[in-house]
C-alpha cells in the first residue's frame, strides 16, 4: 500500500457526470442548492459543470463559483481552446478555481471518435494544459478511456502534461471495464513510470458498468491514488459513477486497510443523498449501501436481538455517523415561527424572510394534518417548497371524485399569471384526472415521462412525496410535491413541473431552458 498519510481527496462530480444521467436535468438554482450541501459535506472539489455545453451549465458553474466557498470549484473542458476559455470564464470568480481538461487516449476512441493519431492527441493535450495553466495554477488532465489505453502511451502523455503544468492527472475507467486487481496494477505502474509523478495528485474516476466502481476506486487508493472522483448516490452516465457515500464510508470504516480516511463531514451524507434524490428524481433503491432506506434496518429477530444487546454485533457503522437520526419529533402544529426558524437553523438552513414565510405557511398546512413533524418531514417540506422559481402558476384548489364504479373526475382552480382559471377533466384515475384538468388550465399537454410516489417516513400519517418529470419541446421539467394526501402531493408535483416549463417558455427567445441545459 502506497500510503503518504494524507486524506484521500474527494472530488464530487454529481453536478457534471451525475447530471449526465439519462433523464436528469437540473436548473441553475437546483445545482446551487446541491453545491451548498456539498460544501456542508466538506468535499474537497466540486466539479460544477461543463460550461461549453449550454448556457444553463455555464450559468450554474458561474453561480457556484461566485457563491460557494470551501471546496475547489472545477469546470470541465475538452482539450480545445473554446472549451478551456469558456471553462475559465465560468469558474474565474471561485476562491479556488480548477480547470479540468480531457482527451481520449484509447486506440478505439482515438481512431473512431477523434480521428486523430496518438501524436496529435499528445499535442492537443499539452497545448490544452498550457492554455489552462495560463489561467489558473490548478489544472487537472484526464486521459479518457484510460483503462483501455496502451499503458506506455499513458506514461508518455501523463509525463508530457505534467511537464506542461498539470497538477492532477486523472485515470478514468470511462466505460466501467477494469477490475480491482488490474486497476491496482495500472496505478502502481503509472506511479512508478510517469515522469514527475511525485509532483502531482493521482486521481481515479470509475464508472459502474460492472458494479465495480467503488471496488476499483479503493484498489486505486491502495495502489497510491490521491483523489477519487465520485457522485452522490452513485448517479451518472449509464450505470453511474463510484458512489461518494460508499467510498467515503469504506475509507473511514476500513481505515485499518487504507490508512487514509477522507476529510468529508460524514453526518451530512444522508442529507446530501436525500437532496440529490429529490432534485434529480432518481430514486434510491431500499437496499443501497449507506443511504438506502434499509441500510441500517434490522429485520430478523436474531439480528434485532443482537443489536439490542450489543450494537456492533451486526452494525459496522453508526447511523448517526452518516446523519441518520431516528427522525425524532421536532415540531407540531402548535410550534411557532421562532421554533421553526431555530429548528431549521440547527439543520443548517438559513432562510431569507420571504423563504421562511413560504416554508412556514406550508409547514402549518402540513402540521394541521400530520401530528408529528420529524426532521425528515421538515427537510422534505423545505426541499419541495423552496425552489426559487418565479410562480407563473399557483395551484389554488382541486377536488376529485373517484371510485371503482365511476369515471374519475377532477376540477382544479389555479392562478395563471395572477388570473384565476378553473377547469374540469376526466381521467383513468384521480391523479390522471387532475393532470388533465391542469393541462387544460394552462393550455398545454406535455408528455408525462415519469411519475413516482413514496412515503417520506413510516406510519399511517406519513407524508407522501410525488415526483413527476414532464417532457415538452425537447426540455425535461421535474417537479416534486409533498402532502399527507397522495393526490394532493401528485397535483403539487405536476404544478411545480408545469411552473418550470412556463418559466422556461417565458425566457427571451422562447427557448426552453431545460432543452439547453440537457443538450449534451
Ligand atoms: O468518464 C470519463 O472519462 C469522464 C472524463 C471526462 C473524466 O467523465
Ligand atoms: Zn465519467
Amino acid at each position: 500500500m502506497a500510503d503518504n498519510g494524507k486524506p484521500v481527496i474527494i472530488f464530487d462530480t454529481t453536478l457534471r457526470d451525475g447530471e449526465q444521467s439519462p433523464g436528469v436535468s437540473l436548473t441553475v438554482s437546483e445545482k446551487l442548492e446541491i453545491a451548498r450541501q456539498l460544501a456542508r459535506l466538506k468535499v474537497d472539489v466540486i466539479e460544477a459543470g461543463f460550461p461549453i455545453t449550454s448556457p444553463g451549465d455555464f450559468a450554474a458553474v458561474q453561480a457556484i463559483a461566485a457563491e460557494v466557498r470551501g471546496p475547489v470549484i472545477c469546470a470541465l473542458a475538452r482539450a480545445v481552446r473554446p472549451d478551456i476559455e469558456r471553462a475559465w470564464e465560468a469558474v474565474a470568480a471561485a476562491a479556488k478555481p480548477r480547470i479540468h481538461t480531457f482527451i481520449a487516449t484509447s486506440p478505439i476512441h482515438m481512431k473512431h471518435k477523434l480521428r486523430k493519431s496518438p501524436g496529435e492527441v499528445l499535442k492537443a493535450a499539452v497545448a490544452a494544459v498550457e492554455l489552462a495553466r495560463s489561467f489558473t495554477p490548478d489544472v487537472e488532465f484526464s486521459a479518457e478511456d484510460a483503462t483501455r489505453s496502451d499503458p506506455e502511451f499513458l506514461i508518455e502523455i501523463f509525463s508530457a502534461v505534467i511537464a506542461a503544468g498539470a497538477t492532477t492527472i486523472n485515470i478514468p475507467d470511462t466505460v466501467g471495464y477494469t477490475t480491482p486487481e488490474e486497476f491496482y496494477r495500472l496505478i502502481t505502474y503509472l506511479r512508478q513510470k510517469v515522469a514527475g509523478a511525485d509532483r502531482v495528485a493521482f486521481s481515479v474516476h470509475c464508472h459502474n458498468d460492472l458494479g465495480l466502481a467503488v471496488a476499483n476506486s479503493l484498489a486505486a487508493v491502495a495502489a497510491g491514488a490521491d483523489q477519487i472522483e465520485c457522485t452522490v448516490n452513485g448517479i451518472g452516465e449509464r450505470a453511474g459513477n463510484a458512489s461518494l457515500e460508499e467510498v467515503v464510508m469504506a475509507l473511514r470504516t476500513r481505515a485499518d486497510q487504507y490508512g487514509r480516511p477522507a476529510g468529508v463531514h460524514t453526518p451530512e451524507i444522508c442529507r446530501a443523498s436525500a437532496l440529490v434524490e429529490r432534485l434529480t428524481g432518481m430514486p434510491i433503491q431500499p437496499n443501497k449501501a449507506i443511504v438506502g432506506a434499509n441500510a441500517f434496518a434490522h429485520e430478523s429477530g436474531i439480528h434485532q436481538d443482537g443489536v439490542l444487546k450489543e450494537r456492533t454485533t451486526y452494525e459496522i457503522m453508526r447511523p448517526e455517523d452518516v446523519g441518520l437520526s431516528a427522525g425524532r419529533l421536532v415540531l407540531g402544529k402548535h410550534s411557532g415561527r421562532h421554533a421553526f426558524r431555530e429548528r431549521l437553523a440547527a439543520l443548517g438552513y438559513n432562510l431569507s424572510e420571504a423563504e421562511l414565510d413560504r416554508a412556514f405557511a406550508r409547514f402549518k398546512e402540513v402540521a394541521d394534518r400530520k401530528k408529528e413533524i420529524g426532521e425528515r418531514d421538515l427537510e422534505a417540506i423545505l426541499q419541495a417548497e423552496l425552489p426559487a422559481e418565479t410562480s407563473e402558476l399557483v395551484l389554488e384548489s382541486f377536488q376529485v371524485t373517484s371510485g371503482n364504479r365511476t369515471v374519475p373526475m377532477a376540477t382544479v382552480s389555479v392562478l395563471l399569471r395572477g388570473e384565476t382559471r378553473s377547469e374540469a377533466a376526466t381521467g383513468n384515475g384521480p391523479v390522471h384526472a387532475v393532470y388533465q384538468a391542469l393541462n387544460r388550465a394552462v393550455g398545454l399537454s406535455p408528455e408525462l415521462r415519469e411519475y413516482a410516489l413514496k412515503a417520506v417516513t413510516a406510519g399511517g400519517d406519513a407524508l407522501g412525496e410525488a415526483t413527476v418529470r414532464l417532457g415538452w419541446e425537447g426540455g425535461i421539467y421535474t417537479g416534486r410535491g409533498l402532502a399527507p394526501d397522495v393526490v394532493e402531493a401528485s397535483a403539487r408535483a405536476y404544478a411545480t413541473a408545469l411552473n418550470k416549463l412556463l418559466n422556461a417558455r417565458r425566457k427571451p427567445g422562447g427557448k426552453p431552458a431545460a432543452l439547453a441545459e440537457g443538450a449534451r
Side-chain angles (χ1 to χ4, degrees), residues 4 47-48 68 101 125 196 207 210 225 239 254 269 273 292 360 412 428 435 443 463 510 512:
N4 60 11
E47 186 164 55
V68 177
T101 184
H207 280 268
L210 292 172
R254 298 310 309 271
I269 283 180
S273 163
F360 187 62
V412 300
N428 55 24
Y435 289 2
L463 290 180

Side-chain angles (χ1 to χ4, degrees), residues 16-17 76 100 102 142 144-145 170 172-174 205 207 229 241:
R16 199 278 297 170
D17 222 345
L76 186 67
H100 174 190
F102 73 99
S142 282
E144 191 189 6
D145 205 16
N170 186 33
D173 183 27
T174 304
H205 173 112
H207 280 268
E229 302 196 354
N241 289 60

